[in-house]
Amino acid sequence: MPNDATSPYATYLSHLEKGELAYQFSPAANRAVFFPRVLCPYSGSDKLEWRVSKGRGTVYSTTIVHPAEGAPFNIALIDVEEGFRLMSRVEDVAPDAVKIGMPVKFRVHKPGGENDPIPVFTPEAA
Amino acid sequence: MDGLKRGAAAIVGVAESDLGQVADGMSPMDLVAQGTQRALADCGLTLKDVDGLFCAMTQARMSIVQMIEYLGIQPKFIGSSMTGGSSFEFHVAQAAAAIQAGLCNVAVIAYGSTQRSVGRRQSSAREINPYETPFNPFMPTSAYALAASRHMHEFGTTREQLAEVAVAARKWAQINPAAWEKEDLTVADVLKSRMISYPFTVRDCCLVTDGGGAIVMTSAERAKSLKKPPAYVLGYGHGVTHASISCMPDLTVTGAKPAGEAAYKMAKLSAKDCDMVQLYDAFTINTVLFLEDLGFCRKGEGGAFVSGGNIAPGGKLPVNTNGGGLSYCHPGMYGLFILIEGVRQLRGECGERQVKKHDVAMVHGNGGVLSAQASVILGSGATL
């Protein structure tokens, strides 16, 4: 059997480069899968379809990291409408204004240099 | 498929190595050897009797190989499962299985860490998760903080209630001669301490110390002839729900639930039969979550349960009678120390902190970021 031509992470990343939040869908389990992988953890099936999220979600949990140096910053777990959860942060508001249940929308953050793009979120109303 | 037999194996020797801040240049394996020698002396056995070895470490990928080299013995059976801080509870089940199957008869489970001496960064290799690491969570603290935030949101748990866990642990530490932190601590002190990852201040977080230790296990039959009263393994269970916090199915329900259920079933006991709980309190939320998931109170009521001195000395349920990872010691991975304390309490050798009724101890280990849970129920001879 030939090697896979691309990795799950590389496919995910290529979507982020285009400003898209991609996830996988498992027809066998009839549910979303995240993080991207080669096997569905709910069914064992290797048939996983790539889909692009509409980018709407809610804050499932939140914390504020207080580093030894520099300003405090937010870390959040986001429940995305298509039925998967990921770690991210909510931007454009103070870290202590990020609340559980808050509706948020996706945008891509491109740190540049050697760093890969990452999915971040902003308050839906903003 | 008979599984592990209730009471077929026992912990017969326990000991800590040097704790807190150890001498310059002391290695993790020096502490393993100290713990092993002291635990064997505790039960009157010697290295010559040992034919099973178990070890897990953050500072050595092949700790069991180093341990064999250091001790100079050739055990018949070895194990080195690494589930983080709960590794040692998993080892107890593996050692019990090996003893039951006749693969070994005297097993040593050991640990050592110089985390305080060498610093947090030097004591475990950094692992990159491309879906989490770019957000710079302060791990593992931020993962537990996310669980605490969600628990507060769903059940109205307060920072004051979390602080009660730290205060109770400190009160136990104050009557444990081996404990690291002994200064008076109030709920207000916890709240006004340096914020690390909201809702946790530094006092909601475990200590960073050096330390190690060992326990010795053998068959129930052989245990009878040794120096001290055996602590029988009555029940065991585990639950692994995720590796990364973003993959934890429900931040308010842990693998302690299936772990506890399996352990109670094997032990033919329930939470109300336990005279004490020794659980892995890496952060104050752990105590709340595990007391709920192990059935000591209902889901969501853990905050109220830990308040008002209920789990402190003189309270209704003795929890973490050594002072816990929060105030006694926490050298990187803490799971071995709760087994040591559970055994000492069952024997009745804990002095001022001795629990009055001491026949059944629930010992609950936690590994990773609430990831790998394992429960061991230990019982005195009266429970067989």
Side-chain angles (χ1 to χ4, degrees), chain B residues 199-215:
Chain B
F200 294 154
T201 70
V202 68
R203 293 294 165 214
D204 288 286
C205 306
C206 59
L207 307 172
V208 178
T209 68
D210 300 329
I215 62 174

Side-chain angles (χ1 to χ4, degrees), chain A:
Chain A
M1 192 180 280
N3 287 352
D4 287 351
T6 183
S7 68
Y9 181 66
T11 304
Y12 168 74
L13 207 55
S14 68
H15 282 280
L16 273 182
E17 294 283 3
K18 290 188 284 185
E20 296 171 350
L21 175 59
Y23 67 100
Q24 292 170 311
F25 182 81
S26 167
N30 192 33
R31 61 183 290 184
V33 171
F34 199 88
F35 55 95
R37 56 193 93 186
V38 299
L39 277 187
C40 166
Y42 310 112
S43 65
S45 168
D46 63 354
K47 304 282 184 294
L48 289 164
E49 300 170 358
W50 282 96
R51 294 187 178 179
V52 174
S53 165
K54 289 186 179 129
R56 294 185 183 282
T58 55
V59 175
Y60 173 68
S61 196
T62 180
T63 182
I64 306 164
V65 179
H66 292 252
E69 286 170 30
F73 60 92
N74 170 252
I75 304 273
L77 296 178
I78 309 295
D79 278 343
V80 183
E81 269 183 17
E82 287 87 355
F84 63 96
R85 182 180 300 159
L86 77 171
M87 182 176 283
S88 183
R89 63 173 175 251
V90 181
E91 299 187 335
D92 297 352
V93 286
D96 62 358
V98 180
K99 303 291 181 199
I100 293 175
M102 180 187 255
V104 290
K105 60 178 185 245
F106 157 80
R107 81 176 171 209
V108 70
H109 173 73
K110 295 188 176 175
E114 300 272 294
N115 298 310
D116 292 340
I118 54 172
V120 298
F121 287 80
T122 60
E124 184 74 75

Side-chain angles (χ1 to χ4, degrees), chain B residues 295-380:
Chain B
F296 291 94
C297 61
R298 278 187 295 191
K299 180 51 68 183
E301 295 178 0
F305 188 83
V306 300
S307 298
N310 201 39
I311 62 169
K316 222 166 105 190
L317 180 70
V319 176
N320 295 348
T321 54
N322 54 7
L326 292 168
S327 281
Y328 148 68
C329 83
H330 192 285
M333 302 200 297
Y334 173 69
L336 190 71
F337 299 93
I338 49 181
L339 289 161
I340 293 171
E341 179 69 4
V343 170
R344 286 178 173 159
Q345 284 284 357
L346 289 186
R347 291 173 176 172
E349 57 186 23
C350 286
E352 198 181 344
R353 71 180 192 283
Q354 179 61 46
V355 170
K356 280 199 193 80
K357 187 171 178 313
H358 48 92
D359 286 315
V360 180
M362 164 57 85
V363 177
H364 183 78
N366 162 71
V369 287
L370 293 168
S371 312
Q373 307 295 322
S375 302
V376 176
I377 299 175
L378 298 175
S380 69

Side-chain angles (χ1 to χ4, degrees), chain B residues 95-314:
Chain B
I99 290 165
Q100 191 178 308
L103 301 172
C104 65
N105 188 244
V106 175
V108 168
I109 302 170
Y111 178 66
S113 167
T114 55
Q115 190 191 46
R116 185 174 188 86
S117 294
V118 302
R120 259 181 108 243
R121 272 172 208 281
Q122 298 304 318
S123 62
S124 52
R126 189 168 187 238
E127 294 182 27
I128 306 293
N129 173 348
Y131 303 97
E132 293 194 352
T133 310
F135 300 100
N136 294 316
F138 181 60
M139 288 301 193
T141 313
S142 293
Y144 289 85
L146 286 164
S149 288
R150 186 70 201 180
H151 201 279
M152 291 164 73
H153 173 79
E154 281 193 33
F155 306 115
T157 308
T158 64
R159 284 186 60 206
E160 287 78 4
Q161 289 173 333
L162 295 177
E164 290 264 15
V165 172
V167 169
R170 183 60 55 87
K171 287 188 173 148
W172 285 111
Q174 287 175 327
I175 49 174
N176 177 4
W180 177 257
E181 286 280 1
K182 292 184 179 261
E183 271 181 40
D184 287 343
L185 186 73
T186 65
V187 167
D189 293 334
V190 177
L191 296 186
K192 69 170 191 252
S193 294
R194 183 165 56 89
M195 188 61 78
I196 302 290
S197 192
Y198 182 89
F200 294 154
T201 70
V202 68
R203 293 294 165 214
D204 288 286
C205 306
C206 59
L207 307 172
V208 178
T209 68
D210 300 329
I215 62 174
V216 183
M217 287 181 66
T218 190
S219 62
E221 196 176 37
R222 184 156 185 187
K224 282 181 210 142
S225 64
L226 298 176
K227 250 163 83 177
K228 291 191 176 170
Y232 296 93
V233 178
L234 302 181
Y236 169 79
H238 65 238
V240 181
T241 46
H242 61 282
S244 310
I245 197 65
S246 53
C247 293
M248 184 169 179
D250 181 340
L251 282 185
T252 66
V253 182
T254 73
K257 200 165 172 10
E261 282 166 1
Y264 290 134
K265 192 176 171 211
M266 178 180 155
K268 301 185 176 72
L269 294 169
S270 68
K272 64 176 181 343
D273 300 310
C274 297
D275 301 319
M276 70 195 84
V277 185
Q278 313 293 348
L279 60 81
Y280 194 136
D281 57 341
F283 301 91
T284 49
I285 190 66
N286 294 39
T287 303
V288 171
L289 285 170
F290 299 154
L291 288 173
E292 291 173 352
D293 291 338
L294 295 171
F296 291 94
C297 61
R298 278 187 295 191
K299 180 51 68 183
E301 295 178 0
F305 188 83
V306 300
S307 298
N310 201 39
I311 62 169

